[in-house]
Amino acid sequence: MIAMNLWFVAFLTLTGLNSVLSYDGTIEEPYPVDVNEDARVLRSAVKGWGTNEGNIINILTKRSYNTRQRIVQAYKSIFDRDLWSDIHSDTSGDFRLALKGLILTNARFLAEEMRSAVDGWGTDEDELILCLMLVINDHTLLTAVRNEYESIYNEDLEERIEDETGGDFETFLVKVLNRPEFNESAPVDVELIAADITALTGYMSDPVQLGEIVDLLTNRGLKHLAALQEQFYQDQNEELYTRLEEISSHHLRDALVSLMSAASSFHRYLAYELFASMDVSHLQTNATMDGKGTDEDSLTKILVTRADKDLSTIKEVFLEMTGRELKDMVQSDTSRDYRKTLLGIIN
């Protein structure tokens, strides 16, 4: 994940707020579906010498999330084997990761991805931020991820994050992980908005109190944060994200801007992250990008977790933002079976 650029957050402000998710996926499932037959085809695809990647892709990218979970159950019932274990042993690399996201539940997939971000040598802070932003508006899924993590690894995710990170960035991650469930349909509390702006203005004065800023922003609902940004601009004649970028740095800056951007427009936040995950150094765009190459992990996480929810809307926003079709950029930026899988998801 590349740090959020000023042009994008300005785009959010100019194009309005949209914190409410639409259920608008890209998976077009044929009717009827025989999950037992799908299970048999998948078993044949991985059994014996060689792997039939085409059959695996055709089934998993053309079945809904619920149907894929039924296929996993049918596979276990018929063959007494775990579908993901079999496919894991027969695939590799980015292709394997994409299939993993299609086979596992969202909660288990994100739990394992968060584990990957904190396991081994070094911590992948960008992936931690992205995983948390992917569940920022789904408290049920956030809770499920925490429970899955503890069930799989016999350790508490919060404690592991505390061990692997530090300072105000650690505080941010832990507080987002422990966010309560907000009533996003309730009217905005205008008085609390005014009080928050007064408090933030004080916290951002010299000396800057980043801990207090993190505490305030992570304890507000997304609808509230969106309205807060609008009112801050009206009162201060300055964008809140600009001030946050000025007073913070590195991973904390990325985390704060990601939260505020997701609050302003969840779909545009993810559309930008998709754009940022691909190698755009050769493109003529409005963005100022680093051109560091493709971040396949981020690209995959977004596509597989949003495919059955709102990827159609994200595709439309992506085109609006960049002037380019998401499928065309994926086509030029990926290859082989990994490309086929992502294009199948994008539809």
Side-chain angles (χ1 to χ4, degrees):
M1 180 179 71
I2 303 175
M4 196 73 65
N5 295 103
L6 293 179
W7 76 271
F8 170 64
V9 189
F11 179 84
L12 296 183
T13 304
L14 291 171
T15 53
L17 306 178
N18 178 24
S19 296
V20 181
L21 284 178
S22 59
Y23 194 90
D24 189 16
T26 55
I27 302 297
E28 294 185 359
E29 182 176 283
Y31 181 84
V33 171
D34 185 339
V35 295
N36 291 329
E37 178 60 21
D38 284 348
R40 293 186 182 97
V41 172
L42 288 171
R43 177 60 185 152
S44 177
V46 297
K47 185 180 180 180
W49 184 260
T51 304
N52 190 328
E53 293 87 357
N55 282 349
I56 296 173
I57 295 169
N58 288 337
I59 289 178
L60 294 181
T61 63
K62 296 296 183 290
R63 303 293 186 270
S64 69
Y65 178 81
N66 289 335
T67 298
R68 296 195 302 270
Q69 298 312 305
R70 290 171 55 211
I71 292 171
V72 171
Q73 294 169 2
Y75 194 93
K76 178 67 174 178
S77 176
I78 296 171
F79 304 109
D80 194 27
R81 300 176 67 90
D82 179 69
L83 175 59
W84 169 233
S85 295
D86 283 353
I87 287 184
H88 179 277
S89 64
D90 269 41
T91 56
S92 62
D94 301 321
F95 178 47
R96 176 194 284 170
L97 180 63
L99 296 180
K100 175 183 179 180
L102 292 171
I103 294 170
L104 301 184
T105 64
N106 284 339
R108 181 178 168 188
F109 175 66
L110 290 173
E112 292 194 9
E113 289 306 290
M114 293 195 77
R115 172 70 170 195
S116 296
V118 298
D119 201 24
W121 182 260
T123 301
D124 191 335
E125 293 85 358
D126 286 343
E127 290 304 306
L128 283 177
I129 295 170
L130 178 59
C131 286
L132 288 175
M133 290 303 107
L134 284 169
V135 299
I136 194 68
N137 55 7
D138 189 338
H139 190 265
T140 300
L141 181 55
L142 172 60
T143 302
V145 169
R146 291 196 62 168
N147 292 339
E148 281 282 353
Y149 186 95
E150 184 171 1
S151 174
I152 297 168
Y153 303 110
N154 196 32
E155 70 175 15
D156 182 68
L157 178 56
E158 177 180 339
E159 293 179 357
R160 186 57 184 265
I161 287 175
E162 289 173 341
D163 290 341
E164 299 292 334
T165 60
D168 294 317
F169 179 61
E170 172 197 320
T171 302
F172 175 92
L173 296 177
V174 169
K175 285 187 173 293
V176 170
L177 193 64
N178 288 293
R179 274 167 59 87
E181 185 170 12
F182 294 94
N183 181 6
E184 298 292 358
S185 63
V188 172
D189 187 334
V190 177
E191 292 184 357
L192 183 57
I193 291 285
D196 284 349
I197 290 176
T198 299
L200 285 170
T201 302
Y203 296 152
M204 291 187 290
S205 301
D206 190 27
V208 174
Q209 301 176 62
L210 284 173
E212 298 294 341
I213 294 171
V214 168
D215 186 63
L216 190 154
L217 295 179
T218 55
N219 279 288
R220 299 292 185 267
L222 300 180
K223 185 177 181 180
H224 182 94
L225 291 176
L228 176 66
Q229 294 178 82
E230 287 283 289
Q231 192 60 49
F232 187 91
Y233 180 76
Q234 293 180 28
D235 292 353
Q236 305 293 323
N237 195 30
E238 182 181 21
E239 299 290 358
L240 179 55
Y241 71 82
T242 304
R243 289 289 293 124
L244 292 174
E245 288 209 331
E246 290 173 352
I247 63 176
S248 59
S249 60
H250 302 301
H251 305 305
L252 178 61
R253 177 192 60 214
D254 294 343
L256 288 172
V257 175
S258 292
L259 175 61
M260 303 309 286
S261 300
S264 289
S265 172
F266 186 74
H267 294 128
R268 288 186 172 89
Y269 163 71
L270 290 180
Y272 177 86
E273 288 300 316
L274 283 172
F275 185 59
S277 71
M278 289 182 273
D279 183 2
V280 297
S281 57
H282 60 289
L283 299 179
Q284 295 296 319
T285 70
N286 295 326
T288 303
M289 307 298 292
D290 294 332
K292 295 180 179 178
T294 307
D295 180 354
E296 289 85 358
D297 284 358
S298 295
L299 177 62
T300 303
K301 284 185 184 67
I302 297 171
L303 292 181
V304 298
T305 58
R306 307 315 302 182
D308 293 89
K309 298 178 179 179
D310 50 7
L311 187 54
S312 285
T313 298
I314 294 169
K315 284 166 57 178
E316 294 172 2
V317 174
F318 187 94
L319 177 61
E320 177 187 354
M321 284 173 51
T322 67
R324 296 175 181 273
E325 295 278 0
L326 176 59
K327 64 180 177 62
D328 293 337
M329 289 194 64
V330 168
Q331 173 77 29
S332 64
D333 213 46
T334 58
S335 62
R336 301 172 65 86
D337 292 321
Y338 177 57
R339 172 198 286 164
K340 295 175 184 177
T341 305
L342 296 191
L343 290 178
I345 293 170
I346 294 169
N347 192 20

